[in-house]
Amino acid sequence: MDPGSAVTGFGVVEGTPGRTGARLLECGVIRAGEGPLAGRLRAIHAGLGEVLARHRPDAVAVEGIFYSRNVRTTVVLGHARGVVLLAAEEAGVAVAEYAPGLVKKTVVGRGAAQKAQVGWMVAKLLRLDHAPSPADAADGVALALTHLLLAGRPVRAPRVAAR
């Protein structure tokens, strides 16, 4: 999950931990819209709850905290991240956290990769004709793939990303 307060991207993959050959089950975005933060957080929670109920994953991979130059942005993203953690806990799903640089390094091979590179590699790893769209969905899939590649047990891991 790449938590955000307006758009949360997610990806659900299935495969054998530590191996390539994963399969994309679903990806997309949860649009929280505009308006008061509390309402946007509720929309993220409800949308993620639906994804978790639909797929019943073994784990949720969420992007770890990153520090923005804008303190308000960091705090708002922290709220969105908290909602993701809450939804996973309510569903009884384990949570794994990954730093943004580790996700990029795992999927692309370089911790400073650009969004387009991440999307391109996600498409290649999953044998897709094109990268998941929008970029938030591709980021969600990248997190799920990271968990699958680094985890030690079979997993179907939704990734939610919001911006």
Side-chain angles (χ1 to χ4, degrees), residues 147-159:
H147 183 69
L148 187 63
L149 292 169
L150 299 180
R153 59 185 166 80
V155 88
R156 287 166 42 169
R159 176 333 186 123

Side-chain angles (χ1 to χ4, degrees), residues 4-20:
S5 65
V7 177
T8 296
F10 68 90
V12 182
V13 298
E14 182 174 57
T16 303
R19 296 197 173 161
T20 57

Side-chain angles (χ1 to χ4, degrees), residues 52 56-61 93-96 147 153-159:
L52 293 172
R56 302 197 181 283
D58 297 324
V60 169
V93 178
V95 174
H147 183 69
R153 59 185 166 80
V155 88
R156 287 166 42 169
R159 176 333 186 123

